[in-house]
Every structure is written in structure tokens, then in C-alpha cells.
Amino acid sequence: MAVLLAGYACNDRKQTQNAGINEIEDLKTKQYAIQGQQLYLQYCSNCHQEDGSGLARLIPPLKGADYMLTDIGRTIRLIKHGIKGEILVNGITYNQPMPGNQHLTSIEIAQISTYIYNVWGNQKGLIGTEQVNDALKNTSGLDLQ
């Protein structure tokens, strides 16, 4: 009986994780989001958590984050270059440095961005490599790592 319950719990967790991805209708966007989820779990979820909820007042949430939703280009630059200094997310000040992921390619950043902008109630569609490359050209307004 315990084995059956454990298997059921894992399936429930997987269904919950994929809930946002399963709602994506465009095939290319869904493919990017699926790849992006794997990259997010590898590079981002340790701090921002699997569900995007962040870590108390130490690490800001991504889920429902006004800071993220306001400027996709800025988020792309943060993924690549990181940030230090204070930021205000949903009315809460965070001041924990975020390391950059300089090794990530434009396609990987596009996949992560597509994932985080199409789950947790967001529906921003495909974020492609051209948008990533354009965003990375502009580093103004960031206190980069």
C-alpha cells in the first residue's frame, strides 16, 4: 500500500510541475518551456524554488513577481549577468547577490525565459533567441555582478 501511495504522490507532483506547460498550446513555445524547465531546475530552482516562490525574505519569488513581469529584457540580462544590490519585488526589498550564468547560451536563456514566463499563471508566449540577443545588448540600469 505504501508503494502505491508513494507512486501516486510522485505522479501528483509531476502533474503539478507540468501544469503550466500543459496549458501551452503553441508547439514551439511548449518545446522551449519543456527544455527551459529542465534548465530552470538545474540553474535556478535551488534559490528560487521549484515552484518559483523564492526563499522567504532572502531570495525573491519569480511566481507573481512584479519585478520580473515588468521587464522581460531585464530578466534575460539577470539570468546571464546576475545582479547585486537592492531590488524591490512585490513591495519587499531584497539585497542578496544573484550570480550570473555566463556559460548559458542564448537558446538556453530563451528556453528558461519561455518557461518562467509561461508557468505560474503567466502566458507571455515564446521568448526567442532574437529577443534574448537584443536584451543582452543593453546592460543599462543593472548593477551587474
Side-chain angles (χ1 to χ4, degrees), residues 50-80:
E50 282 186 33
D51 66 354
S53 63
L55 191 57
R57 290 185 174 260
L58 189 60
I59 307 293
L62 301 180
K63 180 180 181 178
D66 57 357
Y67 187 86
M68 185 184 91
L69 295 171
T70 302
D71 190 340
I72 294 172
R74 177 178 59 197
T75 301
I76 289 168
R77 292 187 295 278
L78 290 176
I79 292 169
K80 181 75 170 186

mmCIF file of all heavy atoms in Angstrom, residues 50-80:
data_model
loop_
_atom_site.group_PDB
_atom_site.id
_atom_site.type_symbol
_atom_site.label_atom_id
_atom_site.label_comp_id
_atom_site.label_asym_id
_atom_site.label_seq_id
_atom_site.Cartn_x
_atom_site.Cartn_y
_atom_site.Cartn_z
ATOM 1 N N GLU A 50 11.450 25.292 -6.824
ATOM 2 C CA GLU A 50 10.824 24.659 -7.988
ATOM 3 C C GLU A 50 9.547 25.369 -8.396
ATOM 4 O O GLU A 50 9.245 25.482 -9.579
ATOM 5 C CB GLU A 50 10.516 23.185 -7.698
ATOM 6 C CG GLU A 50 11.728 22.299 -7.782
ATOM 7 C CD GLU A 50 11.387 20.829 -7.645
ATOM 8 O OE1 GLU A 50 10.296 20.411 -8.089
ATOM 9 O OE2 GLU A 50 12.221 20.097 -7.090
ATOM 10 N N ASP A 51 8.791 25.844 -7.418
ATOM 11 C CA ASP A 51 7.511 26.490 -7.710
ATOM 12 C C ASP A 51 7.631 28.001 -7.884
ATOM 13 O O ASP A 51 6.619 28.695 -7.985
ATOM 14 C CB ASP A 51 6.489 26.166 -6.630
ATOM 15 C CG ASP A 51 6.845 26.752 -5.265
ATOM 16 O OD1 ASP A 51 7.951 27.334 -5.106
ATOM 17 O OD2 ASP A 51 6.022 26.617 -4.338
ATOM 18 N N GLY A 52 8.857 28.525 -7.909
ATOM 19 C CA GLY A 52 9.066 29.957 -8.123
ATOM 20 C C GLY A 52 8.734 30.825 -6.938
ATOM 21 O O GLY A 52 8.663 32.051 -7.060
ATOM 22 N N SER A 53 8.568 30.245 -5.760
ATOM 23 C CA SER A 53 8.123 31.003 -4.583
ATOM 24 C C SER A 53 9.241 31.762 -3.873
ATOM 25 O O SER A 53 8.981 32.543 -2.967
ATOM 26 C CB SER A 53 7.428 30.072 -3.595
ATOM 27 O OG SER A 53 8.336 29.093 -3.127
ATOM 28 N N GLY A 54 10.495 31.531 -4.259
ATOM 29 C CA GLY A 54 11.605 32.209 -3.601
ATOM 30 C C GLY A 54 11.911 31.600 -2.244
ATOM 31 O O GLY A 54 11.406 30.531 -1.905
ATOM 32 N N LEU A 55 12.722 32.297 -1.481
ATOM 33 C CA LEU A 55 13.140 31.786 -0.175
ATOM 34 C C LEU A 55 12.971 32.891 0.861
ATOM 35 O O LEU A 55 13.865 33.708 1.088
ATOM 36 C CB LEU A 55 14.602 31.318 -0.246
ATOM 37 C CG LEU A 55 15.151 30.529 0.920
ATOM 38 C CD1 LEU A 55 14.321 29.272 1.181
ATOM 39 C CD2 LEU A 55 16.594 30.139 0.628
ATOM 40 N N ALA A 56 11.776 32.910 1.450
ATOM 41 C CA ALA A 56 11.422 33.900 2.483
ATOM 42 C C ALA A 56 11.803 35.309 2.030
ATOM 43 O O ALA A 56 11.482 35.707 0.934
ATOM 44 C CB ALA A 56 12.048 33.518 3.808
ATOM 45 N N ARG A 57 12.484 36.045 2.879
ATOM 46 C CA ARG A 57 12.903 37.416 2.535
ATOM 47 C C ARG A 57 14.349 37.462 2.046
ATOM 48 O O ARG A 57 14.935 38.521 1.936
ATOM 49 C CB ARG A 57 12.704 38.344 3.724
ATOM 50 C CG ARG A 57 11.239 38.585 4.019
ATOM 51 C CD ARG A 57 11.070 39.600 5.132
ATOM 52 N NE ARG A 57 9.675 39.911 5.304
ATOM 53 C CZ ARG A 57 9.085 40.999 4.823
ATOM 54 N NH1 ARG A 57 9.773 41.877 4.148
ATOM 55 N NH2 ARG A 57 7.810 41.213 5.031
ATOM 56 N N LEU A 58 14.897 36.283 1.754
ATOM 57 C CA LEU A 58 16.279 36.200 1.298
ATOM 58 C C LEU A 58 16.374 36.200 -0.234
ATOM 59 O O LEU A 58 17.150 36.958 -0.810
ATOM 60 C CB LEU A 58 16.921 34.928 1.857
ATOM 61 C CG LEU A 58 18.405 34.757 1.664
ATOM 62 C CD1 LEU A 58 19.189 35.886 2.332
ATOM 63 C CD2 LEU A 58 18.852 33.420 2.225
ATOM 64 N N ILE A 59 15.591 35.370 -0.887
ATOM 65 C CA ILE A 59 15.599 35.233 -2.344
ATOM 66 C C ILE A 59 14.203 35.561 -2.858
ATOM 67 O O ILE A 59 13.225 34.965 -2.414
ATOM 68 C CB ILE A 59 15.970 33.792 -2.768
ATOM 69 C CG1 ILE A 59 17.279 33.340 -2.132
ATOM 70 C CG2 ILE A 59 16.002 33.671 -4.294
ATOM 71 C CD1 ILE A 59 18.517 34.063 -2.596
ATOM 72 N N PRO A 60 14.091 36.485 -3.797
ATOM 73 C CA PRO A 60 12.757 36.884 -4.264
ATOM 74 C C PRO A 60 12.044 35.783 -5.050
ATOM 75 O O PRO A 60 12.696 34.942 -5.677
ATOM 76 C CB PRO A 60 13.040 38.087 -5.163
ATOM 77 C CG PRO A 60 14.446 37.937 -5.597
ATOM 78 C CD PRO A 60 15.150 37.213 -4.484
ATOM 79 N N PRO A 61 10.726 35.822 -5.009
ATOM 80 C CA PRO A 61 9.958 34.881 -5.818
ATOM 81 C C PRO A 61 10.031 35.277 -7.291
ATOM 82 O O PRO A 61 10.306 36.431 -7.628
ATOM 83 C CB PRO A 61 8.535 35.053 -5.288
ATOM 84 C CG PRO A 61 8.488 36.483 -4.852
ATOM 85 C CD PRO A 61 9.858 36.764 -4.299
ATOM 86 N N LEU A 62 9.779 34.317 -8.145
ATOM 87 C CA LEU A 62 9.561 34.593 -9.563
ATOM 88 C C LEU A 62 8.066 34.499 -9.862
ATOM 89 O O LEU A 62 7.546 35.261 -10.664
ATOM 90 C CB LEU A 62 10.347 33.607 -10.437
ATOM 91 C CG LEU A 62 11.863 33.609 -10.228
ATOM 92 C CD1 LEU A 62 12.527 32.600 -11.152
ATOM 93 C CD2 LEU A 62 12.450 34.989 -10.426
ATOM 94 N N LYS A 63 7.404 33.589 -9.199
ATOM 95 C CA LYS A 63 5.970 33.404 -9.360
ATOM 96 C C LYS A 63 5.253 34.672 -8.892
ATOM 97 O O LYS A 63 5.388 35.085 -7.737
ATOM 98 C CB LYS A 63 5.524 32.201 -8.536
ATOM 99 C CG LYS A 63 4.061 31.906 -8.611
ATOM 100 C CD LYS A 63 3.750 30.692 -7.752
ATOM 101 C CE LYS A 63 2.299 30.326 -7.815
ATOM 102 N NZ LYS A 63 2.020 29.123 -7.015
ATOM 103 N N GLY A 64 4.541 35.315 -9.791
ATOM 104 C CA GLY A 64 3.787 36.519 -9.456
ATOM 105 C C GLY A 64 4.645 37.732 -9.165
ATOM 106 O O GLY A 64 4.167 38.707 -8.577
ATOM 107 N N ALA A 65 5.912 37.715 -9.554
ATOM 108 C CA ALA A 65 6.834 38.808 -9.224
ATOM 109 C C ALA A 65 6.663 39.988 -10.171
ATOM 110 O O ALA A 65 6.915 39.868 -11.366
ATOM 111 C CB ALA A 65 8.275 38.312 -9.278
ATOM 112 N N ASP A 66 6.250 41.115 -9.618
ATOM 113 C CA ASP A 66 6.086 42.316 -10.433
ATOM 114 C C ASP A 66 7.400 42.713 -11.098
ATOM 115 O O ASP A 66 7.422 43.152 -12.246
ATOM 116 C CB ASP A 66 5.506 43.477 -9.620
ATOM 117 C CG ASP A 66 6.325 43.841 -8.376
ATOM 118 O OD1 ASP A 66 7.343 43.176 -8.073
ATOM 119 O OD2 ASP A 66 5.927 44.798 -7.687
ATOM 120 N N TYR A 67 8.505 42.537 -10.405
ATOM 121 C CA TYR A 67 9.827 42.887 -10.930
ATOM 122 C C TYR A 67 10.115 42.109 -12.214
ATOM 123 O O TYR A 67 10.612 42.651 -13.191
ATOM 124 C CB TYR A 67 10.884 42.580 -9.865
ATOM 125 C CG TYR A 67 12.279 43.050 -10.215
ATOM 126 C CD1 TYR A 67 12.686 44.348 -9.934
ATOM 127 C CD2 TYR A 67 13.198 42.201 -10.810
ATOM 128 C CE1 TYR A 67 13.967 44.794 -10.234
ATOM 129 C CE2 TYR A 67 14.489 42.631 -11.108
ATOM 130 C CZ TYR A 67 14.862 43.928 -10.818
ATOM 131 O OH TYR A 67 16.130 44.361 -11.118
ATOM 132 N N MET A 68 9.789 40.851 -12.224
ATOM 133 C CA MET A 68 10.019 40.009 -13.402
ATOM 134 C C MET A 68 9.028 40.324 -14.509
ATOM 135 O O MET A 68 9.399 40.439 -15.680
ATOM 136 C CB MET A 68 9.908 38.530 -13.008
ATOM 137 C CG MET A 68 10.238 37.575 -14.135
ATOM 138 S SD MET A 68 9.977 35.844 -13.683
ATOM 139 C CE MET A 68 8.290 35.622 -14.207
ATOM 140 N N LEU A 69 7.786 40.475 -14.145
ATOM 141 C CA LEU A 69 6.739 40.672 -15.150
ATOM 142 C C LEU A 69 6.821 42.031 -15.842
ATOM 143 O O LEU A 69 6.362 42.182 -16.961
ATOM 144 C CB LEU A 69 5.359 40.480 -14.506
ATOM 145 C CG LEU A 69 5.096 39.056 -14.010
ATOM 146 C CD1 LEU A 69 3.803 39.012 -13.201
ATOM 147 C CD2 LEU A 69 5.044 38.077 -15.169
ATOM 148 N N THR A 70 7.422 43.011 -15.185
ATOM 149 C CA THR A 70 7.515 44.368 -15.726
ATOM 150 C C THR A 70 8.467 44.488 -16.901
ATOM 151 O O THR A 70 8.258 45.304 -17.787
ATOM 152 C CB THR A 70 7.970 45.342 -14.609
ATOM 153 O OG1 THR A 70 7.043 45.268 -13.546
ATOM 154 C CG2 THR A 70 8.057 46.754 -15.098
ATOM 155 N N ASP A 71 9.532 43.665 -16.924
ATOM 156 C CA ASP A 71 10.589 43.865 -17.923
ATOM 157 C C ASP A 71 11.260 42.540 -18.273
ATOM 158 O O ASP A 71 12.166 42.092 -17.556
ATOM 159 C CB ASP A 71 11.612 44.866 -17.368
ATOM 160 C CG ASP A 71 12.617 45.337 -18.387
ATOM 161 O OD1 ASP A 71 12.809 44.659 -19.421
ATOM 162 O OD2 ASP A 71 13.238 46.380 -18.142
ATOM 163 N N ILE A 72 10.834 41.929 -19.366
ATOM 164 C CA ILE A 72 11.396 40.653 -19.798
ATOM 165 C C ILE A 72 12.884 40.806 -20.124
ATOM 166 O O ILE A 72 13.697 39.956 -19.767
ATOM 167 C CB ILE A 72 10.614 40.084 -21.001
ATOM 168 C CG1 ILE A 72 9.193 39.712 -20.580
ATOM 169 C CG2 ILE A 72 11.337 38.861 -21.587
ATOM 170 C CD1 ILE A 72 8.275 39.311 -21.714
ATOM 171 N N GLY A 73 13.253 41.886 -20.787
ATOM 172 C CA GLY A 73 14.650 42.119 -21.144
ATOM 173 C C GLY A 73 15.549 42.164 -19.930
ATOM 174 O O GLY A 73 16.657 41.605 -19.925
ATOM 175 N N ARG A 74 15.088 42.820 -18.877
ATOM 176 C CA ARG A 74 15.871 42.898 -17.642
ATOM 177 C C ARG A 74 16.058 41.506 -17.049
ATOM 178 O O ARG A 74 17.149 41.149 -16.603
ATOM 179 C CB ARG A 74 15.176 43.828 -16.648
ATOM 180 C CG ARG A 74 15.887 43.920 -15.308
ATOM 181 C CD ARG A 74 15.215 44.883 -14.371
ATOM 182 N NE ARG A 74 13.824 44.492 -14.113
ATOM 183 C CZ ARG A 74 12.905 45.300 -13.610
ATOM 184 N NH1 ARG A 74 13.198 46.556 -13.312
ATOM 185 N NH2 ARG A 74 11.692 44.875 -13.411
ATOM 186 N N THR A 75 15.010 40.703 -17.069
ATOM 187 C CA THR A 75 15.100 39.343 -16.547
ATOM 188 C C THR A 75 16.113 38.524 -17.342
ATOM 189 O O THR A 75 16.916 37.788 -16.766
ATOM 190 C CB THR A 75 13.715 38.655 -16.568
ATOM 191 O OG1 THR A 75 12.811 39.419 -15.763
ATOM 192 C CG2 THR A 75 13.788 37.234 -16.050
ATOM 193 N N ILE A 76 16.099 38.676 -18.648
ATOM 194 C CA ILE A 76 17.062 37.980 -19.504
ATOM 195 C C ILE A 76 18.482 38.370 -19.107
ATOM 196 O O ILE A 76 19.357 37.513 -18.968
ATOM 197 C CB ILE A 76 16.780 38.305 -20.990
ATOM 198 C CG1 ILE A 76 15.490 37.607 -21.439
ATOM 199 C CG2 ILE A 76 17.970 37.925 -21.877
ATOM 200 C CD1 ILE A 76 14.954 38.082 -22.774
ATOM 201 N N ARG A 77 18.708 39.658 -18.914
ATOM 202 C CA ARG A 77 20.041 40.133 -18.518
ATOM 203 C C ARG A 77 20.436 39.605 -17.138
ATOM 204 O O ARG A 77 21.599 39.274 -16.897
ATOM 205 C CB ARG A 77 20.094 41.663 -18.569
ATOM 206 C CG ARG A 77 20.011 42.201 -19.996
ATOM 207 C CD ARG A 77 20.218 43.695 -20.073
ATOM 208 N NE ARG A 77 19.186 44.490 -19.427
ATOM 209 C CZ ARG A 77 18.009 44.805 -19.989
ATOM 210 N NH1 ARG A 77 17.714 44.395 -21.203
ATOM 211 N NH2 ARG A 77 17.145 45.545 -19.332
ATOM 212 N N LEU A 78 19.482 39.506 -16.228
ATOM 213 C CA LEU A 78 19.763 38.968 -14.891
ATOM 214 C C LEU A 78 20.168 37.498 -14.962
ATOM 215 O O LEU A 78 21.076 37.073 -14.248
ATOM 216 C CB LEU A 78 18.545 39.107 -13.977
ATOM 217 C CG LEU A 78 18.173 40.511 -13.537
ATOM 218 C CD1 LEU A 78 16.899 40.490 -12.726
ATOM 219 C CD2 LEU A 78 19.280 41.147 -12.768
ATOM 220 N N ILE A 79 19.506 36.737 -15.806
ATOM 221 C CA ILE A 79 19.842 35.324 -15.946
ATOM 222 C C ILE A 79 21.293 35.192 -16.408
ATOM 223 O O ILE A 79 22.047 34.387 -15.874
ATOM 224 C CB ILE A 79 18.892 34.627 -16.938
ATOM 225 C CG1 ILE A 79 17.470 34.548 -16.356
ATOM 226 C CG2 ILE A 79 19.407 33.228 -17.301
ATOM 227 C CD1 ILE A 79 16.405 34.129 -17.359
ATOM 228 N N LYS A 80 21.690 35.997 -17.370
ATOM 229 C CA LYS A 80 23.034 35.908 -17.939
ATOM 230 C C LYS A 80 24.102 36.526 -17.031
ATOM 231 O O LYS A 80 25.135 35.922 -16.781
ATOM 232 C CB LYS A 80 23.058 36.604 -19.305
ATOM 233 C CG LYS A 80 24.397 36.571 -20.021
ATOM 234 C CD LYS A 80 24.670 35.210 -20.605
ATOM 235 C CE LYS A 80 25.880 35.247 -21.531
ATOM 236 N NZ LYS A 80 26.064 33.970 -22.192
#
